[in-house]
Amino acid sequence: MTFKDDLGRRAAEVEKYLVTCLRDKGAPTRLLKSMEYSLLAGGKRLRPVLVLSWNGLLGGDRAKAMPFAASLECIHTYSLIHDDLPAMDDDDLRRGRPSNHKQFDEATAILAGDGLLTEAFVLMAAASLGEGLPADRVLRATSVLAKAAGAGGMVGGQAVDMELTGRTGVPLEELKKMHAMKTGALLTASCECGAILSGAGEADIANAREFGRKIGVAFQIVDDVLDVVGDTATLGKPAGSDEAMGKTTYPSLIGLEKSKTLAREYVDEALTHLSGYFGGEQEFLWQLARYIVDRVY
């Protein structure tokens, strides 16, 4: 099985669970359709896959961790719906089809995002119900994820991104800090939460956290590069939108080739945090880290 086949298999496992998440909640029909339109739109399911892979690597129960993993996808999807809104990035395409507010309307899109964010916490709690995971693990992971998704993480990063848009002379360190919040925080939390839910010790949790932090930086650098060299059909969203909106990116500050080199350096650093592990999950995480940067070669 190739890496892409394995990633697809893991994404399909998450997708199968996501299909069941929003049903029988009593949501109005149009709101439910809007939430499912974006949640079930496909994608690599990278964040829940990272939760499950680190959980499995450290001896956890993947089935019991699935509700928590699914919560990451709900949070990620809500952020995409809101980021695409006219008041934010004003994007008409997402994953190769009309953005939520284009398919429905702005009010419905806002509410769909709100609904998915709230549902994420229902799923986190569900991980400890019945014969689920120990409540102390779920509580700690929930705290980590809430901080990563909130004003000091993803939401704060989007706010800073809006402040920097159209501004010239943005220092590289400021760009790094913004992306560590907007993109990196949720990827880091995915790995860290997977480790926490497995019952691993602090050294293993630290390895997961640092792996996530470094691939998070690499992921954003590569996204910036692909916005320049990619095309709309491949990206599933408008190519060249960063430049059109006056956003500061890694290529605009240090150039394409230096950006590619920097992304590879971060991936190489991430891989050092896998050196003490063995088996299928370690191999998958190794290949996943390489895949992130190989997309621009």
Side-chain angles (χ1 to χ4, degrees):
M1 181 185 293
T2 67
F3 166 73
K4 286 189 176 181
D5 288 339
D6 193 12
L7 179 59
R9 177 186 64 80
R10 292 166 185 260
E13 179 186 7
V14 173
E15 189 89 14
K16 183 178 179 181
Y17 184 84
L18 289 172
V19 169
T20 71
C21 286
L22 303 180
R23 296 292 169 170
D24 303 320
K25 301 288 184 176
T29 301
R30 182 174 174 81
L31 177 60
L32 177 62
K33 286 182 177 179
S34 178
M35 293 168 71
E36 290 189 331
Y37 176 80
S38 293
L39 184 64
L40 305 180
K44 297 178 180 65
R45 309 304 187 188
L46 184 59
R47 290 150 191 83
V49 164
L50 282 168
V51 173
L52 296 172
S53 189
W54 270 100
N55 185 262
L57 176 67
L58 299 174
D61 187 325
R62 290 168 56 90
K64 291 183 179 180
M66 179 61 84
F68 201 101
S71 76
L72 268 292
E73 195 64 28
C74 288
I75 291 174
H76 177 56
T77 301
Y78 117 76
S79 75
L80 299 181
I81 294 173
H82 283 191
D83 284 0
D84 288 340
L85 290 167
M88 304 277 264
D89 290 347
D90 195 16
D91 280 330
D92 292 345
L93 284 177
R94 175 64 66 178
R95 289 173 173 165
R97 59 182 188 166
S99 301
N100 196 291
H101 68 277
K102 285 292 181 179
Q103 182 70 18
F104 295 90
D105 55 71
E106 287 184 45
T108 302
I110 292 169
L111 292 169
D114 293 344
L116 286 168
L117 174 59
T118 308
E119 187 62 29
F121 287 89
V122 174
L123 290 168
M124 289 178 223
S128 68
L129 297 179
E131 310 220 347
L133 296 168
D136 60 332
R137 296 183 199 173
V138 175
L139 181 61
R140 179 177 175 183
T142 299
S143 176
V144 167
L145 181 49
K147 289 174 184 175
M154 182 185 70
V155 172
Q158 177 66 7
V160 174
D161 188 19
M162 293 175 67
E163 290 173 11
L164 298 183
T165 297
R167 198 175 113 191
T168 58
V170 177
L172 181 60
E173 286 307 309
E174 195 167 351
L175 180 68
K176 286 181 178 178
K177 182 179 179 181
M178 182 269 286
H179 284 315
M181 296 167 70
K182 181 181 176 181
T183 303
L186 213 56
L187 289 168
T188 302
S190 300
C191 300
E192 185 175 358
C193 288
I196 291 169
L197 295 173
S198 75
E202 294 305 318
D204 290 323
I205 293 171
N207 274 328
R209 183 189 309 119
E210 286 305 301
F211 175 87
R213 187 177 68 80
K214 286 163 185 173
I215 67 165
V217 178
F219 186 89
Q220 183 58 57
I221 296 172
V222 168
D223 254 19
D224 284 359
V225 171
L226 289 175
D227 190 74
V228 177
V229 304
D231 59 81
T232 299
T234 303
L235 297 176
K237 58 183 179 179
S241 60
D242 289 343
E243 183 179 3
M245 293 188 68
K247 287 181 179 285
T248 300
T249 64
Y250 284 92
S252 72
L253 282 183
I254 63 176
L256 279 172
E257 292 309 312
K258 284 187 177 179
S259 295
K260 292 179 184 179
T261 298
L262 185 61
R264 191 173 289 280
E265 288 172 357
Y266 271 103
V267 166
D268 288 342
E269 289 177 18
L271 294 178
T272 65
H273 296 283
L274 293 176
S275 60
Y277 305 103
F278 304 94
E281 295 298 343
Q282 189 264 10
E283 177 63 22
F284 173 77
L285 288 165
W286 185 284
Q287 291 186 40
L288 176 58
R290 301 303 314 177
Y291 169 74
I292 286 171
V293 75
D294 286 346
R295 293 181 298 158
V296 296
Y297 288 94

